[in-house]
């Protein structure tokens, strides 16, 4: 990070970062959520501001201070995130989907609070698929826009990552190894960044800021002049 101090290689660029985890409403008081803290996305936003970019941060359910100099767009659900991201990327040079987007949402929203019925078993909650924002971004992007995804994988992390990178059609996929308390809510992260061009960049365990700097390095190298 120190070596990059004062490097404004993203000056004149607009970058969009999504962060946090979406919440999918079950009824007025309940939701399906996930453990994403938003720390990696916020680190990406802060480092991009420091490197001179105009930053739009689409933030889902994050309890962190707004990064100075970034435009924060708060959202709740995956559908809201999709709308906000699609709008923000219109004129963007790069987009990084660091958010944990819920794959499924309750198929029907219950307008009234679900109550217990004495003696009766609870009703199951039917699920519907959410849109894949990253795949949509990669498919519909303007020429030259760099599209980056994140993936948390277990088991064969690299093979799963390669398959996901191809399936999503993005330029870079940042693959984290997850386990009990390996990533979520921790200030540090270890990852490998896979490129659609076949490259792979290992990032040793360190601050999420350090991983963010590597991601911007790889993006900057792919931006057209
Ligand atoms: N993502 C997205 N929209 C979704 C789901 C995921 O944009 N509905 C993005 C995430 O922000 C992330 C990337 O896709 O950048 C990978 O997310 P991940 O959950 O690992 O991928 P999935 O395709 O949902 O695969 P899996 O079945 O492993 O969850
Ligand atoms: Ca998923």
């Amino acid at each position: 990070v120190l070596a990059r101090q004062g490097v404004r290689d993203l000056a004149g660029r607009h970058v969009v970062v999504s962060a946090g985890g979406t919440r999918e409403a079950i009824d007025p008081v309940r939701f399906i959520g996930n453990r994403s803290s938003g720390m990696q996305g916020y680190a990406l936003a802060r480092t991009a501001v420091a490197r001179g970019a105009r930053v739009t941060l689409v933030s889902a359910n994050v309890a962190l201070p707004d990064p100075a100099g970034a435009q924060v767009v708060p959202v709740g659900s995956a559908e809201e995130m999709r709308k906000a991201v699609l709008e923000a990327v219109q004129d963007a040079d790069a987009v990084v989907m660091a958010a944990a987007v819920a794959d499924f949402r309750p198929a029907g929203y219950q307008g009234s609070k679900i109550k217990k019925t004495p003696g009766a078993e609870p009703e199951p909650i039917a699920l519907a698929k959410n849109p894949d924002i990253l795949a949509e971004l990669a498919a519909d992007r303007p020429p030259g826009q760099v599209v980056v995804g994140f993936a948390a994988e277990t088991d064969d992390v690299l093979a799963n990552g390669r398959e996901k990178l191809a399936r999503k059609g993005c330029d870079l996929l940042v693959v984290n190894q997850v386990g009990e308390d390996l990533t979520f809510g921790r200030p540090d992260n270890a990852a490998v960044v896979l490129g659609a061009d076949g490259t792979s960049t290992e990032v040793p365990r360190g601050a999420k800021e350090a991983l963010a700097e590597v991601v911007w390095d790889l993006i900057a190298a792919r931006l057209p002049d």
Side-chain angles (χ1 to χ4, degrees), residues 160-181:
N160 290 342
R162 275 274 162 227
E163 185 275 330
K164 189 165 286 178
L165 174 70
R167 177 159 52 83
K168 301 275 191 179
C170 50
D171 299 298
L172 296 165
L173 188 72
V174 185
V175 186
N176 290 309
Q177 190 178 359
V178 292
E180 286 292 286
D181 35 59

Side-chain angles (χ1 to χ4, degrees), residues 21 30 51 57 64 88 95 99 133 164-165 168 172 175 187-188 204 224:
R30 306 182 178 96
R51 290 166 74 148
L57 177 60
L64 294 171
V95 50
I133 304 168
K164 189 165 286 178
L165 174 70
K168 301 275 191 179
L172 296 165
V175 186
D188 62 351

Side-chain angles (χ1 to χ4, degrees), residues 97 99 101-103 130-134 149-152 164 167-168:
M97 285 294 299
V101 182
D103 293 327
N130 272 330
D132 189 325
I133 304 168
L134 179 61
F150 268 72
K164 189 165 286 178
R167 177 159 52 83
K168 301 275 191 179

Side-chain angles (χ1 to χ4, degrees), residues 16 19 22 27-28 61 71 90 92 95 103 115 117 129 139 195 199 214 216-217:
V16 177
T22 66
D27 70 12
N61 311 298
Q71 193 201 339
Q90 301 285 341
V95 50
D103 293 327
K115 304 289 279 182
T117 310
K129 259 193 185 162
T199 53
V214 173
W216 292 122
D217 288 347

